[in-house]
Each structure stands twice: as C-alpha cells, then as structure tokens.
Amino acid sequence: MMKDGKLFRVIDDNCWDPEARIKEMDATGVTVQALSTVPVMFSYWAKAEDTLDLCRIINDDLAATIAKHPTRFVGLCTLPMQAPALAAKELRRCVKELGFCGVQIGSHVGDWNLDAKELRPVFAVAEEVGASVFIHPWDMDMGGRMSKYWLPWLVGMPGETAVAICSMIFGGVLEEFPHLKVCFAHGGGAFPFTIGRIEHGFNVRPDLCAVDNQVNPRKYIGQLYTDTLVHDQKALRYLVDVIGEDRVCLGTDYPFPLGEHFPGKLIESMPDFSNALKVELSEKLETCCIVLVGQRSSLVCLSLEFLQ
C-alpha cells in the first residue's frame, strides 16, 4: 500500500482475496466476517462528491463479494462523512438496497469530533434503520514527539477512541439517540480505564464538561459496546467488569501485527472466566469485521447481537 507516494504498509492476499480469507476463517474457526473499509480509505479530506464515488465503488464491491459468499460475509459500509446529507443517503441505500448491517466510521471527521451537530443526521438514519455503527480510531498525530516507537498506533489510537466516546457522551449524542448501536474498537481505547477520572471531572468541573449534556457519563455504560482487543488478561477482566459481559465483543484486528491472530485466544486463556462466560463471549461474538484495503483487509470481530 502506498500513501502520498510513500510505502504505508505491506499486505498479503488475505487482505483482498475472499478465498484466501475463507481458508483462514476455516483454519481458525471463524464462521462469519463483516466486510468494511480500512480507515486510510475513509477519504474524509477529499471533495465530498469524489469521496461519495469512492464509497459507492467500495460498498458495491463489498455487496458483490457478500452475494458470492452469503453464508460467510456480511457488510459494514463506508460513507462520505464530511458531507452528512450524502452520507445519510448512502447509509440508507446500503442498508435498504444492499442489505448491509451497519457502517464503519472514523473517530473524528476532519475538525469535527463525533459530537458535531453536522453529523446528527447520519446518526439519526443509523438509529432509524437499525444500522450498527463501528467506530475505529484513525488520523492520529504522526509527527513531532509521536514520530518514533510506533506511538501513533500504541498510544495515539487508544487516545483517539477515548476522545470519540467522550465526545458522543458529553455532546449528548447517546442521549439524543438512545437506540443507536455503537461499538468502539480496541477495547474502547483509554476510555474504560479512565472512566473514574472522566466522571470525577464531570462532577467537579461541570462548567467545562456538562455544557452540552448534564447526564453523568457513567450512565451510558451499558449503552455502548467495545471489542475485546486489549492483549492482556487483567485488562480484559477489568473491561468486562466495567462495560458489561453483554456489551463486550470479540475483536482481533487480524491480519495486522497488532491483532489477535487466533480469534478468542485471550478469552480462552482467562483462568477466572467461567465456561459459560467464555461461551457467551465467543459464540455470541462469532461475526467478524473485515477491514478493506482497496477491496478487502483486516479482521475485527463483532457480536451478532451488535450487528443485528
């Protein structure tokens, strides 16, 4: 993959060939995957009409792949979020005409955080048509102090996701759309592990935190989903305790280096999880999300409950 004339990432055929993907699904016990686009392809920076054209090409290609393998794949569309009216229309088309179960969007859209009033029409349509919204961090700071040690991926992404969650909470998005199904990648980033600090800030500085929504942020735990991709037993135990057993979805980020290459391995390794909980976190979470590069790419598992 090339970005601005520079090498961005080397990928293998499991990132674009559905037959290669199905072989690996069978080898690792994955039944269904949800196809979507890789964040670098969001193109929120481009002209709205050009991004819409790209989104329609990607979404139609996904639909064709799903039609060829209807028992193995489902779809999450991509949208020109910088043009909310166009995005809302394309979301409705993808759900109503292409049969997609939801959409993947970035943790922000240009200078808009996800609390932006401009984005409300997209969330309104998602709630109306029952589309699941999978939010993936992207467009992290890549320069200056973040330019070494893979910091944008190691610490930038968790911060991006926490900003996205806080924006939706403090901005009143989850209050305005109580039936909106939203899942945040990578265990919800830094949010679950800083909820105490976030709630304390809300309580002691409402003049800064409660300017758009006066509801305690902890109230929305139980309304949002996260995946399990935290790579650590203690972190997963805490995540399930905070977010809830029925709101944590198996996640892998396969086939990229930061992913869990054998879906569910961390869950199975948990010594204090009951067999019933392991089954719940595995079997109800057997639907997965393929992230596209041009045509198809990496895996993030999402629950059937979230996608329905």
Side-chain angles (χ1 to χ4, degrees), residues 237-251:
R237 186 177 301 114
Y238 175 80
L239 178 67
V240 170
D241 183 57
V242 170
I243 299 300
E245 296 178 3
D246 62 341
R247 288 295 183 269
V248 178
C249 309
L250 176 63

Side-chain angles (χ1 to χ4, degrees), residues 84-99:
L86 296 178
K89 183 177 180 180
E90 177 65 5
L91 174 58
R92 191 181 299 276
R93 182 185 80 92
C94 287
V95 173
K96 295 295 187 179
E97 298 180 20
L98 302 184

Side-chain angles (χ1 to χ4, degrees), residues 64-78:
T65 298
I66 294 166
K68 293 177 182 177
H69 308 280
T71 64
R72 306 309 301 270
F73 299 128
V74 295
L76 296 178
C77 65
T78 187

